[in-house]
Amino acid sequence: MYAFNYHKPATVADAAALASQHADGKLLAGGMTLLPTMKQRLAQPSDIIDMGKLNDLKGIEVKDGVVTIKAMTRHVTVATSAEVRKAIPALAELAGGIGDPAVRNRGTIGGSVANNDPAADYPAACLALGATIHTNKRAIAADDFFTGLFETALGEGEIITSISFPAPDKANYQKFRNPASRYAIVGVFVAKKGGDVRVAVTGAGDSGVFRQKDFEAALKANFAVAALDGKHQPEKGLNSDIHADAEYRAHLIGVMAKRAVAAAK
Amino acid sequence: MSAQGVGASVLRKEDFRFVTGRGRYTDDINRPGQAHAFFLRSPHAHATINRIDHAAASKMPGVVAIFTGDDIAADKVGGLICGWMIHSKDGSPMKAGAHPALAQGKVRYVGDHVAVVIADTYAQAREAAEKIVVDYGVLPAVTDTADAARTGAPQVHDIAPNNTVYNWHIGDKGATDAAFASARHVAKIDLVNNRLVPNAMEPRAAVGEYDDASDGLVLYTTSQNPHVARLVLSAFIGLAPEHRFRVIAPDVGGGFGSKIFIYAEETVCVWAARKVRRPVKWTADRTEAFLSDAHGRDHVTHGELALDAAGKITAMRVRTTANLGAYLSTFSSCVPTYLYALLLSGQYNIPNIYAEVDAVYTNTAPVDAYRGAGRPEASFLVERLMEIAARETGKDPAEFRRANFITAFPHQTPVILAYDAGNFAASLDSALKLADYANIGKRKAASAAQGKLRGIGFSAYIEACGIAPSAAVGSLGAGVGLWESAEVRVNPIGTVEILTGSHSHGQGHETTFAQLVSGRLGIPFENVSIVHGDTDKVQMGMGTYGSRSGAVGMSAIVKALDKIEAKARKVAGHCLEASPDDIEFRDGKFTVKGTDKSIDFPSVALQAYIAHKFNGQDLEPGLKESAFWDPTNFTFPAGVHICEVEVDPATGVTTIEKWTAVDDFGNLVNPMIVEGQVHGGIAQGVGQALFEGAVYNTDGQLVTASFMDYQMPRADNLPFYDVGTTNTPCPSNPLGIKGCGEAGAIAAPPAVINALTDALGHEDIAMPASPLAVWRAARKTMAMKTAAE
Amino acid sequence: MPKVSMTVNGKPVSGDVDSRTLLVQFLRETLRLTGTHVGCDTSQCGCCVVHVDGDAVKSCTALALSLEGADVRTIEGLANGDKLHPMQEAFRENHGLQCGFCTPGMIMTAVELVSRKGHTLDEKTIREELEGNLCRCTGYHNIVKAIAAGATAMGAKA
Ligand SMILES: Cc1cc2nc3c(=O)[nH]c(=O)nc-3n(C[C@H](O)[C@H](O)[C@H](O)COP(=O)(O)OP(=O)(O)OC[C@H]3O[C@@H](n4cnc5c(N)ncnc54)[C@H](O)[C@@H]3O)c2cc1C
Ligand code: FES
Ligand code: FES
């Protein structure tokens, strides 16, 4: 790791002030992405602003059919929350499938969404559920939030404070894991709310998470596995690596989407 | 059998310290005043080093010294060596390119050692290393095994034209070709035995230390064979004479071969410690382990099997290219030759075998012995060919194997080895029953009903272990003898210390060796301790690899115990006023035959040391004996593994549904430990078959340089294993044991791939059979099915 | 250098650390508790797992400074004197270790698993929960058995 100055602010406002002051600084949430990156000397922040003391950023609230998860809420908390399990079981299951138990004990939803790793799971849930990302400055619709590989709409010194997910009628997330890293090679989140159906795909796209509008249209007409028969994800725009080429990813998107529709509840 | 003697599943002594965090591994050792080393490694697979400028780096905080290859050379320190000479077909010696500990003039693989920075802290050393400016002249690289000897390929070492280390062969070409000419059926295969990264969980580490008072060196290191390390560092690399050089390998966190070898980092740490007059410590991070631990396997092979009209094998013909990487690692040259081709007869009566092996240099990490070393490559080839031959001739794969089993022993194979004992059919029968082979059809149908493909695969492997008779390996080119030493020190109160040249890195020697001694001397298990891994304590030894510590290491202990018993009998004779010949020794007691006059072992030990009851001129006081055991033959563990898989053709995911292993390891010292060894070996073999593969791109970058890309077997990838044994004692050592450390890794890969190809209905799948690869192969299966309908 | 204080194995400890110091470095180098191991640089092997306020955490992926005031338990703090914790005993009895390098992390992971999922653990659950712990020696067979047995034993004790 390169050397850095360490800060542990007590309020979101202080954290935001520090973040604006130190243009090359980084917010630290669970550290499950940031620290490995720093250890491998792939990041060299001048300052680390540890959000560990920001207790206002922890917790889950379900109100009027909307599940609001504060940014510093750990994956384990979401996975085991009875309220989330009741309102959006697919979301709890997704959280329970991130990394391993020790990763889930530290990693946070805010860190995951802010990082927008193209193979991360939460971004798929955000898009498919039509989530809103709240920051210390504004509210951003998920559709506008994820702007590219590791790119988001967040500005300098902007801190995610919570994410709210309107509960769907039915949803499910199917993840096909990279056999080595266990991140998603393909993750498909399918959600149905009234007449609307959203299908979000993570792990596969060369510019990160995306919506599969073709599948959405077919499922809006008929929310059934058979509706996806004959529907194909084009290979163009998909990643290729040693574990999965674009053709395989395209195929898996179809398989995972069908499995998600079949399992949706 | 006593409760804690040979044959009992005694719980391990070493575990208390390991489960409480009190193990002591190399990285746990800090020496006063120690500095830290960081190795600057080549980012290029192949490049000239035109200039190294470390002026700015040397001024960085905490830097103690920066050394390059020229500094080591100026000190007249030799390069790293390969200790096994192989001669080509034409009689010429192998082409061993220079292997300096720090590169000189040229780097030959990504991770090659360019310079070492020594600083007060590791962070400082690493930071300073980033300030070293190296002017590289980047050259084109060659990484592909099959491509390396092509005319015009980039040349790794000038001394080795066409990147060829040797063109070696074995067997009778004429007779083999003739057998093929008259064959009724010939089964053929082209295969790649994938390159693996050993990945012991403990990364390599070293602490070098210099003592001015004695002008001596000490090296703490992660080694499976500290004495061999000292021998090489002393006699060949020339760091210090052996009597002023101590190598200590404390607890070792797994090795699987990778910690046999003498590497650049350990060499440099101990050399530099004298230069800077401070202890120098280095611990690999995982990325360094991926880049610079010796890798395993990496063969490209064409094999053929000739059958007569009755389905009997008449000959085998093999052509292999083995990738040895950028430099010859310590034992690399013998792996694709004597550890490989000698096993090509498998469990079968094959009258004619001819094998050619070309070893090549490439711009990749050196390749050397990894769990099984050569034998997994042989057994993969043999067992894949057997399966294909059975399928092509419409025979049941189990019965086809049985029909070709060697049934009479000793059996001289056409490839040097003479198998001394075995009962291959017994293992097969037992495995067939355990695997419920009779009902496989039903299980396949049940899977098919779910849209899944199920398959079953066999592997009837044999290995040559208990490495090895010294004169025999000497005649084959080994630079060392492969005996083992033991010293038994009986203390005056009858407790015993065993000093052994074997060195456990997970095998549990502190337990198994103590079982042997406690059973033999009739003393409590707790009263025996094992001393190993320290060249100042144990005089000499050859270390632990090749499943040799039971068959060779324990045999040395038996030999020393024989001497102890003989001497103790004399002492007892004096105490009991009887002739030693009239004394019997049983359950820890010396008794005058036919009387109730007796004395127990601890009392004899005391008498041996106080020496009151005998004349010290006739009989030396004390009770301490040592022995060297040189084996008379290899040992031949063999067995049958059966793997059952289910494939989801929609995703390419392969699930291992059932694993059956029936192994014949001869007599077992500790069945619990033996089973554990089998489990671990299977997991590594399954890893090779389904998950693991080191991938270099054409530029020579290692694409799989972390656990993010190199798939290690995890708990949820593997099933429980059904493990059984049969028992044909080994005739060539006193305990009748054959060794069990590598069996699983040798047996498993062909069992998995045979199961997978059975499920797929075609042979078109390579290792590692990743979901992507299996998905593609399953598409072919589905297309074949559609076409057939 | 900043100072960090925490409780480790029931004892208050503190030390001056470089801000970069990871929890595992603080434990191994500052406190010389070398039972916690490092097996990778990508937070995947689990050799380094300890408990922080009761949660299993990869100590290679946490800054010591972040854990000011935390209650940390390492493998050294699990046994009661020479009396092994039931999970340690289960690893020993089931031959759940060979070289011992992954073992501290395995045991710490297992103990926390029991705290979350109870004393009756099926094979599938155990294997899934070991997602973040690699072992190169045992093939996992005996680790899975050890954890099941240790979980039961922990229940019997309670
Ligand atoms: C072994 C392992 C396996 C994993 N497997 C998966 C997986 O399967 N699926 C998956 O989705 N993820 C996986 N992860 C990543 C994990 O989910 C991370 O927890 C997550 O991506 C980042 O969350 P964090 O809280 O750890 O953030 P940190 O690492 O602390 O921060 C990540 C980035 O987000 C920024 N940031 C953090 N919080 C905020 C905030 N509130 N507002 C603005 N910016 C912020 C930080 O500055 C930093 O740039 C894995 C990680 C590891 C180590
Ligand atoms: S060392 Fe922490 S996960 Fe590998
Ligand atoms: S016991 Fe060696 S890594 Fe697990």
Side-chain angles (χ1 to χ4, degrees):
Chain A
M1 260 190 233
Y2 295 99
F4 54 80
N5 300 309
Y6 177 85
H7 313 269
K8 201 167 188 180
T11 65
V12 176
D14 289 352
L18 282 164
S20 320
Q21 265 163 43
H22 303 287
D24 293 329
K26 278 266 180 208
L27 296 163
L28 176 68
M32 290 295 112
T33 294
L34 185 54
L35 293 175
T37 314
M38 288 169 64
K39 279 166 67 181
Q40 301 208 61
R41 297 167 97 78
L42 300 172
Q44 189 174 2
S46 61
D47 292 74
I48 284 293
I49 303 145
D50 187 340
M51 298 191 289
K53 263 204 288 209
L54 308 184
N55 289 330
D56 323 349
L57 293 192
K58 290 175 194 161
I60 297 170
E61 196 182 74
V62 181
K63 213 163 84 189
D64 305 333
V66 176
V67 176
T68 299
I69 303 176
K70 292 188 180 166
M72 287 294 287
T73 308
R74 301 175 303 152
H75 306 326
V76 62
T77 313
V78 177
T80 53
S81 155
E83 286 169 295
V84 179
R85 285 208 166 265
K86 194 162 152 237
I88 318 180
L91 189 60
E93 274 160 31
L94 174 146
I98 296 176
D100 58 59
V103 168
R104 296 194 286 275
N105 278 340
R106 303 241 357 127
T108 68
I109 189 168
S112 177
V113 171
N115 194 51
N116 192 20
D117 186 316
D121 298 307
Y122 268 129
C126 291
L127 268 194
L129 292 169
T132 304
I133 289 97
H134 304 272
T135 76
N136 57 329
K137 300 195 173 142
R138 57 191 167 139
I140 311 167
D143 280 323
D144 303 326
F145 184 83
F146 302 104
T147 54
L149 286 188
F150 298 101
E151 299 278 335
T152 66
L154 288 175
E156 292 279 313
E158 191 166 5
I159 299 179
I160 299 178
T161 50
S162 69
I163 299 164
S164 45
F165 300 90
D169 305 338
K170 273 177 167 192
N172 187 259
Y173 179 61
Q174 292 287 322
K175 175 178 183 178
F176 191 83
R177 294 190 288 183
N178 176 314
S181 75
R182 303 288 179 111
Y183 275 82
I185 272 184
V186 163
V188 180
F189 202 114
V190 174
K192 177 180 186 322
K193 190 173 171 70
D196 195 21
V197 175
R198 285 172 160 239
V199 178
V201 178
T202 190
D206 63 10
S207 43
V209 64
F210 65 91
R211 280 173 63 185
Q212 219 308 352
K213 302 249 164 114
D214 215 20
F215 289 9
E216 289 180 357
L219 291 170
K220 261 184 227 166
N222 174 20
F223 193 82
V225 174
L228 294 176
D229 283 346
K231 294 278 160 208
H232 293 292
Q233 163 70 36
E235 283 168 43
K236 198 163 168 303
L238 299 189
N239 287 325
S240 268
D241 56 42
I242 57 167
H243 299 290
D245 57 12
E247 186 190 16
Y248 184 45
R249 279 193 161 90
H251 167 80
L252 286 175
I253 290 170
V255 175
M256 293 299 127
K258 284 186 178 173
R259 290 184 183 179
V261 172
K265 58 176 192 267
Chain B
M1 178 179 102
S2 76
Q4 294 183 311
V6 167
S9 285
V10 179
L11 297 184
R12 302 199 320 169
K13 277 192 169 193
E14 39 277 85
D15 287 357
F16 185 83
R17 89 173 171 274
F18 291 140
V19 300
T20 53
R22 294 181 209 173
R24 191 165 189 248
Y25 302 87
T26 301
D27 187 55
D28 299 342
I29 292 166
N30 280 345
R31 301 297 300 160
Q34 98 194 346
H36 297 262
F38 177 80
F39 287 85
L40 180 69
R41 294 173 186 277
S42 172
H44 305 295
H46 199 193
T48 54
I49 302 176
N50 302 327
R51 213 170 84 84
I52 302 176
D53 178 357
H54 55 73
S58 300
K59 295 197 195 86
M60 291 285 288
V63 172
V64 176
I66 297 179
F67 299 113
T68 66
D70 290 345
D71 298 307
I72 297 202
D75 249 16
K76 304 261 175 296
V77 171
L80 306 178
I81 59 151
C82 177
W84 198 302
M85 173 53 74
I86 299 291
H87 287 90
S88 283
K89 288 174 196 169
D90 65 5
S92 62
M94 69 186 188
K95 309 285 187 301
H99 189 182
L102 294 176
Q104 272 196 288
K106 204 175 173 197
V107 284
R108 294 184 171 84
Y109 67 102
V110 171
D112 204 352
H113 316 73
V114 176
V116 62
V117 182
I118 296 161
D120 291 335
T121 69
Y122 174 79
Q124 289 169 333
R126 189 163 182 174
E127 235 128 75
E130 290 190 355
K131 296 280 188 283
I132 299 178
V133 182
V134 186
D135 175 15
Y136 291 105
V138 178
L139 301 169
V142 57
T143 55
D144 188 49
T145 311
D147 195 39
R150 167 180 59 87
T151 332
Q155 291 293 290
V156 182
H157 291 275
D158 295 341
I159 182 186
N162 293 327
N163 294 318
T164 299
V165 186
Y166 50 73
N167 306 111
W168 176 87
H169 69 159
I170 192 168
D172 185 336
K173 181 170 192 312
T176 305
D177 288 347
F180 270 93
S182 61
R184 170 63 69 89
H185 183 85
V186 176
K188 296 183 183 173
I189 192 169
D190 283 291
L191 62 86
V192 171
N193 203 288
N194 44 325
R195 178 185 277 244
L196 304 176
V197 182
N199 277 320
M201 292 316 300
E202 179 204 26
R204 283 189 296 123
V207 189
E209 195 169 356
Y210 174 68
D211 176 43
D212 336 39
S214 64
D215 189 26
L217 294 175
V218 182
L219 172 64
Y220 299 87
T221 184
T222 47
S223 176
Q224 299 174 220
N225 44 334
H227 292 87
V228 177
R230 184 180 66 164
L231 174 69
V232 171
L233 290 168
S234 178
F236 296 93
I237 300 179
L239 293 180
E242 282 174 286
H243 66 291
R244 285 191 278 115
F245 199 158
R246 178 178 187 186
V247 177
I248 300 170
D251 285 328
V252 179
F256 317 109
S258 69
K259 291 171 181 166
I260 299 173
F261 321 121
I262 289 68
Y263 289 94
E265 293 87 353
E266 292 85 327
T267 307
V268 169
C269 280
V270 69
W271 168 78
R274 169 145 57 194
K275 291 300 263 191
V276 304
R277 295 289 198 269
R278 281 172 72 173
V280 173
K281 179 170 182 172
W282 168 78
T283 302
D285 62 26
R286 183 56 57 186
T287 308
E288 290 183 286
F290 270 100
L291 293 177
S292 69
D293 287 2
H295 294 179
R297 321 281 191 252
D298 203 338
H299 285 192
V300 173
T301 293
H302 174 78
E304 302 179 349
L305 198 65
L307 305 182
D308 67 12
K312 292 272 190 201
I313 306 166
T314 57
M316 178 189 270
R317 205 156 47 186
V318 174
R319 197 176 163 87
T320 290
T321 305
N323 187 345
L324 296 184
Y327 301 96
L328 297 186
S329 171
T330 317
F331 289 110
S332 58
S333 54
C334 72
V335 177
T337 49
Y338 292 109
L339 292 179
Y340 167 64
L342 271 57
L343 277 303
L344 289 174
S345 199
Q347 300 190 355
Y348 312 106
N349 205 332
I350 307 184
N352 304 288
I353 297 178
Y354 179 69
E356 293 169 285
V357 178
D358 295 344
V360 294
Y361 286 117
T362 57
N363 296 112
T364 61
V367 177
D368 205 325
Y370 165 63
R371 201 168 194 169
R375 290 151 292 174
E377 294 90 313
S379 117
F380 187 69
L381 171 62
V382 173
E383 289 306 292
R384 286 290 292 130
L385 273 174
M386 289 303 288
E387 200 80 19
I388 290 171
R391 286 173 189 163
E392 287 177 350
T393 55
K395 299 213 158 68
D396 176 85
E399 297 317 312
F400 175 65
R401 283 177 170 81
R402 189 195 303 279
N404 282 287
F405 276 158
I406 294 163
T407 49
F409 297 88
H411 173 87
Q412 178 63 54
T413 70
V415 278
I416 302 182
L417 295 179
Y419 302 162
D420 51 8
N423 183 351
F424 304 146
S427 294
L428 179 63
D429 288 335
S430 165
L432 287 173
K433 209 178 283 164
L434 269 177
D436 189 22
Y437 184 54
N439 289 309
I440 180 64
K442 283 185 207 150
R443 298 197 292 279
K444 281 185 178 178
S447 293
Q450 308 279 318
K452 304 277 177 70
L453 307 169
R454 187 176 283 256
I456 194 162
F458 292 83
S459 171
Y461 73 96
I462 190 163
E463 50 171 332
C465 292
I467 294 175
S470 299
V473 295
S475 74
L476 303 179
V480 290
L482 290 169
W483 42 262
E484 195 47 88
S485 78
E487 184 177 320
V488 177
R489 292 184 187 167
V490 181
N491 296 313
I493 56 166
T495 60
V496 174
E497 284 151 72
I498 302 294
L499 290 77
T500 166
S502 299
H503 188 34
S504 185
H505 46 286
Q507 295 85 347
H509 295 175
E510 290 166 57
T511 303
T512 48
F513 291 11
Q515 284 179 256
L516 167 62
V517 175
S518 119
R520 174 74 185 263
L521 300 180
I523 58 175
F525 178 69
E526 301 70 47
N527 288 1
V528 185
S529 71
I530 307 301
V531 177
H532 55 186
D534 184 340
T535 61
D536 260 15
K537 293 183 178 161
V538 179
Q539 184 243 333
M540 189 55 197
M542 295 311 296
T544 291
Y545 41 84
S547 305
R548 67 190 304 274
S549 296
V552 189
M554 289 181 85
S555 294
I557 300 173
V558 170
K559 199 171 165 193
L561 286 170
D562 290 344
K563 296 185 191 177
I564 289 282
E565 188 185 320
K567 169 99 181 264
R569 208 180 263 281
K570 287 185 193 161
V571 176
H574 287 285
C575 299
L576 299 172
E577 297 170 333
S579 150
D581 297 339
D582 292 337
I583 287 177
E584 37 181 41
F585 180 53
R586 202 184 301 142
D587 298 335
K589 248 196 206 145
F590 296 88
T591 310
V592 182
K593 277 183 206 151
T595 75
D596 58 359
K597 271 171 56 175
S598 71
I599 179 168
D600 64 8
F601 182 79
S603 309
V604 171
L606 184 64
Q607 289 302 331
Y609 283 96
I610 60 177
H612 293 171
K613 297 256 159 100
F614 54 88
N615 178 338
Q617 272 64 50
D618 299 340
L619 184 63
E620 278 180 34
L623 196 51
K624 179 187 90 158
E625 298 287 352
S626 62
F628 284 72
W629 172 267
D630 198 3
T632 55
N633 194 356
F634 290 86
T635 65
F636 299 98
V640 172
H641 286 220
I642 301 176
C643 169
E644 197 169 319
V645 298
E646 191 179 71
V647 171
D648 177 357
T651 57
V653 170
T654 302
T655 312
I656 295 184
E657 295 291 333
K658 194 166 164 56
W659 195 281
T660 309
V662 177
D663 299 289
D664 183 350
F665 298 133
N667 294 334
L668 308 183
V669 177
N670 182 320
M672 173 192 84
I673 287 179
V674 168
E675 280 191 22
Q677 291 292 311
V678 174
H679 298 160
I682 293 170
Q684 282 178 345
V686 172
Q688 167 159 33
L690 294 180
F691 316 136
E692 301 178 42
V695 178
Y696 282 93
N697 67 14
T698 47
D699 296 338
Q701 297 295 331
L702 181 61
V703 180
T704 51
S706 80
F707 295 144
M708 293 293 281
D709 290 303
Y710 186 93
Q711 187 191 353
M712 292 280 280
R714 283 184 170 85
D716 63 359
N717 296 133
L718 294 162
F720 283 131
Y721 321 99
D722 287 329
V723 176
T725 52
T726 55
N727 176 340
T728 323
C730 173
S732 71
N733 64 56
L735 294 166
I737 58 189
K738 298 182 179 176
C740 63
E742 298 158 294
I746 294 170
V752 176
I753 299 299
N754 286 337
L756 201 48
T757 48
D758 183 40
L760 291 168
H762 64 81
E763 307 295 336
D764 198 5
I765 186 91
M767 298 193 290
S770 66
L772 168 61
V774 173
W775 171 67
R776 283 203 192 115
R779 270 202 311 186
K780 180 170 167 183
T781 305
M782 295 328 219
M784 283 160 57
K785 283 196 174 157
T786 319
E789 271 156 22
Chain C
M1 277 202 288
K3 184 176 159 142
V4 67
S5 308
M6 58 182 88
T7 305
V8 175
N9 299 331
K11 279 192 227 117
V13 296
S14 64
D16 296 327
V17 294
D18 183 319
S19 55
R20 292 174 269 190
T21 306
L22 300 166
L23 175 59
V24 69
Q25 293 168 323
F26 183 66
L27 295 171
R28 287 181 56 82
E29 300 300 332
T30 309
L31 305 180
R32 295 300 289 150
L33 292 170
T34 55
T36 302
H37 298 150
V38 175
C40 73
D41 352 309
T42 49
S43 310
Q44 285 170 293
C45 74
C47 292
C48 62
V49 170
V50 301
H51 295 173
V52 174
D53 299 325
D55 293 330
V57 161
K58 289 180 166 171
S59 63
C60 70
T61 317
L63 295 175
L65 287 176
S66 295
L67 300 175
E68 176 67 34
D71 184 6
V72 175
R73 187 162 299 275
T74 70
I75 189 72
E76 288 93 344
L78 209 55
N80 184 357
D82 271 355
K83 173 124 181 59
L84 294 179
H85 181 279
M87 191 58 78
Q88 292 172 311
E89 191 60 52
F91 268 70
R92 204 176 80 85
E93 280 177 0
N94 290 279
H95 189 30
L97 61 149
Q98 290 181 24
C99 79
F101 198 79
C102 71
T103 312
M106 286 284 178
I107 291 177
M108 297 311 282
T109 299
V111 170
E112 194 239 23
L113 162 59
V114 176
S115 77
R116 281 185 291 113
K117 300 234 154 148
H119 299 284
T120 315
L121 298 175
D122 60 27
E123 178 193 350
K124 185 160 181 285
T125 304
I126 297 171
R127 289 187 187 274
E128 281 173 3
E129 290 281 333
L130 290 180
E131 156 109 28
N133 293 76
L134 297 176
C135 173
R136 194 53 152 168
C137 297
T138 63
Y140 302 101
H141 183 111
N142 286 338
I143 290 180
V144 175
K145 297 215 144 149
I147 293 176
T152 311
M154 282 169 69
K157 207 188 113 200

